[in-house]
Amino acid sequence: MTNLYQKIITAENIKEAYLEVYQSLLEDCKVFSYDVIDAQQIHQTELDLPAFLADIQKRLISAEKPRLARSVAIPKKNGKLRKIYMVPIRERVCCQAVYRVLQEHLKPTYSKYLYSFRSERPSYYALRSLRRFYLANVRGGKASAARPAYFLLKTDFKDYSDHINKNILLGQLAEMGVDAETLRLVRQFVEIPFVRAGDLQSMAYGTMQGLPLISLFNNIYTAEIDRQVGAQVEFYRRVGDDIIALDRDPAKLEWALELIRGECRRLKILLNEEKTELQPLEKQFDYLGLSFSAGQISIPAKKVAKMIADAKTLLPANSTASIEAKLRRLRKVLVINARGKSALWSNYIQSLNLLTDMAQLQELSRRLMTVVWAYLGGGYTGRKLAAGKKILADSKVGLWSFFLHFKRLLWPHQARSHQRRSLWQRLVG
């Protein structure tokens, strides 16, 4: 047995994997309602946890074939459906045990241009660095012969996880020093049979979304693109399947696009040609949920409409709950969700540091607060909105002071970092 495999099958690693799975299900409110083939729930394992963990270790050592997964469809942000796969509790803990060790082994191979599934380099950092570059080079002055204008290349992979070639992926892992025993475990998790609409099926190609290993696969599979393009252009970022590159020389971006196309052919994945753009940086473009146009950064209109619609769905004005219950729900839904993060307000709060369109932010703030007031007051009439406003002002939820202070701060240029932090503190109460 080699070092990676030995780490995977240790009792300590399996215990930590179990706790991570339990925590994840707890945060998603699925401790008692995880919809899998065998119907086993993770809370049931507490009855004889030592035996359960010993069985996990036995399964990993014997490389026992995983049981069936269930295929379900969940809505994406764009309204379409995404297929994910839910494996039984035992298989999920086994997979997490493999993931924990592989993640630490593969981290050093990631490029500095990769901003997905990395706690130290989240996608927000990619947007933040793009914002700095964009404002410096679009709003920073007119182009001239001595200072040529920038060009942009933006593209993504079509159904990325669904087209990853298993044999190529396993070959990449082997080249990265993953031993044969660990590769055998990984292969089992990329070849799990599943049930969809009552039929037993298997994936001829692609990897199962919903397993923690998928984040690792997505990061390493196109790493060669990151290394080559990132070293040649002035600005390059990849977040999952989304790529953006900026340079003064459009020929470099044309070369980069051809290299990406060649890598897609080699890796047997699809480039989304319909979403591929090669254009001057001054021209409008969207990236990771933000719109860049004429030196301004804003939230796309469709995203604003969805934020308001989501708020109205989660906080209905016709709710008959008591004021105390409404305030509890408000804090849970708008301020703190089960993961300890902002739910509806997450993009909004991040936008405070990223957007330059202050008029849009103020209008969005007003519209979201109107939804909150209508929820608490019981309707959108002037009297009921006033009642909701007073309820919120008298409460300790924290949103009221946030709203009062919002227009007093000059965003984003004059506000200091401590003011940004205090805004977040006001929001979470």
Side-chain angles (χ1 to χ4, degrees):
M1 292 189 296
T2 57
N3 192 36
L4 282 181
Y5 181 68
Q6 288 176 345
K7 289 180 180 178
I8 290 171
I9 64 174
T10 61
E12 183 61 26
N13 181 57
I14 293 168
K15 173 187 172 183
E16 291 301 319
Y18 172 83
L19 293 174
E20 289 170 0
V21 171
Y22 200 112
Q23 180 68 23
S24 176
L25 293 174
L26 183 65
E27 291 169 350
D28 290 337
C29 302
K30 292 181 179 178
V31 170
F32 299 94
S33 58
Y34 187 52
D35 187 17
V36 289
I37 292 292
D38 64 359
Q40 184 184 35
Q41 305 301 317
I42 196 165
H43 74 277
Q44 296 170 336
T45 63
E46 299 175 38
L47 298 174
D48 193 356
L49 186 55
F52 177 79
L53 297 180
D55 183 58
I56 296 294
Q57 187 177 47
K58 178 182 176 182
R59 286 170 181 265
L60 288 169
I61 293 173
S62 65
E64 182 177 330
K65 287 186 177 181
R67 290 171 293 179
L68 298 178
R70 182 192 298 278
S71 174
V72 297
I74 61 173
K76 298 168 67 174
K77 291 182 180 179
N78 60 10
K80 297 181 181 179
L81 295 177
R82 172 185 284 118
K83 292 179 292 186
I84 66 168
Y85 301 85
M86 302 177 69
V87 297
I89 293 297
R90 292 176 189 273
E91 279 65 24
R92 183 158 175 175
V93 176
C94 288
C95 186
Q96 187 71 21
V98 177
Y99 167 81
R100 297 184 77 257
V101 175
L102 271 185
Q103 181 188 40
E104 293 304 313
H105 179 73
L106 296 176
K107 266 186 181 180
T109 70
Y110 294 162
S111 81
K112 63 181 181 180
Y113 311 106
L114 177 66
Y115 287 79
S116 51
F117 308 112
R118 304 177 69 181
S119 58
E120 71 278 12
R121 285 179 181 266
S123 59
Y124 173 75
Y125 286 8
L127 273 176
R128 190 175 65 179
S129 60
L130 175 60
R131 176 190 186 278
R132 286 197 298 265
F133 194 98
Y134 178 79
L135 295 179
N137 292 287
V138 173
R139 297 212 311 196
K142 293 183 178 180
S144 64
R147 189 176 183 273
Y150 275 91
F151 290 82
L152 167 144
L153 169 63
K154 186 170 75 77
T155 189
D156 65 36
F157 307 123
K158 188 174 183 179
D159 300 325
Y160 186 25
S161 297
D162 293 340
H163 289 89
I164 289 178
N165 183 282
K166 300 171 186 177
N167 292 327
I168 294 176
L169 172 67
L170 292 169
Q172 290 176 333
L173 290 171
E175 291 175 1
M176 295 175 180
V178 178
D179 56 87
E181 291 90 345
T182 302
L183 286 175
R184 181 178 57 175
L185 293 174
V186 171
R187 180 178 287 277
Q188 288 188 339
F189 286 109
V190 298
E191 295 180 345
I192 298 178
F194 60 91
V195 173
R196 177 182 295 154
D199 295 329
L200 179 62
Q201 302 179 31
S202 61
M203 300 178 68
Y205 54 89
T207 53
M208 285 188 170
Q209 295 193 56
L211 296 178
L213 286 169
I214 302 307
S215 61
L216 302 182
F217 300 160
N218 289 351
N219 278 354
I220 69 171
Y221 197 67
T222 51
E224 188 61 27
I225 293 175
D226 302 340
R227 283 189 284 269
Q228 292 201 46
V229 178
Q232 295 299 321
V233 300
E234 290 192 46
F235 183 96
Y236 174 85
R237 297 290 184 269
R238 178 166 70 91
V239 180
D241 57 358
D242 291 301
I243 288 175
I244 189 167
L246 309 173
D247 201 278
R248 296 184 191 274
D249 185 357
K252 280 189 178 182
L253 297 181
E254 291 171 357
W255 164 83
L257 180 55
E258 287 308 308
L259 183 141
I260 293 170
R261 285 172 174 154
E263 280 295 290
C264 286
R265 289 191 293 270
R266 182 180 71 85
L267 297 171
K268 301 181 180 180
I269 56 177
L270 302 177
L271 191 67
N272 199 334
E273 295 287 356
E274 294 179 356
K275 294 185 178 180
T276 298
E277 301 170 3
L278 205 168
Q279 63 183 47
L281 184 58
E282 288 82 359
K283 187 177 177 182
Q284 190 277 335
F285 68 94
D286 293 343
Y287 188 68
L288 297 183
L290 293 184
S291 177
F292 297 76
S293 179
Q296 291 285 349
I297 305 173
S298 59
I299 304 174
K302 288 184 178 180
K303 186 174 180 181
V304 171
K306 187 176 186 307
M307 290 177 70
I308 301 300
D310 287 346
K312 289 182 177 180
T313 299
L314 292 169
L315 301 172
N318 61 357
S319 171
T320 58
S322 66
I323 295 301
E324 292 75 14
K326 285 183 177 181
L327 288 171
R328 286 196 299 270
R329 178 167 177 78
L330 177 62
R331 184 173 180 84
K332 179 180 180 182
V333 171
L334 277 183
V335 185
I336 299 294
N337 66 9
R339 294 182 183 274
K341 301 176 183 177
S342 162
L344 272 178
W345 292 79
S346 59
N347 293 327
Y348 177 59
I349 293 302
Q350 287 187 353
S351 298
L352 295 176
N353 288 329
L354 296 173
L355 302 195
T356 61
D357 189 343
M358 292 300 102
Q360 183 195 50
L361 263 181
Q362 290 177 351
E363 175 62 14
L364 177 58
S365 176
R366 183 194 65 79
R367 293 177 68 185
L368 284 173
M369 292 303 296
T370 300
V371 174
V372 173
W373 294 334
Y375 171 66
L376 295 175
Y380 285 89
T381 65
R383 181 178 297 178
K384 290 183 177 180
L385 287 175
K389 189 182 298 187
K390 185 177 187 306
I391 292 169
L392 185 60
D394 294 338
S395 74
K396 296 181 179 180
V397 172
L399 285 171
W400 180 247
S401 61
F402 167 80
F403 183 65
L404 290 179
H405 284 81
F406 179 78
K407 291 184 180 179
R408 299 178 190 172
L409 294 180
L410 301 175
W411 289 89
H413 305 296
Q414 290 88 344
R416 296 181 179 179
S417 60
H418 76 273
Q419 291 174 310
R420 297 186 179 108
R421 288 195 298 271
S422 68
L423 264 182
W424 173 253
Q425 291 165 356
R426 290 190 190 104
L427 179 65
V428 299

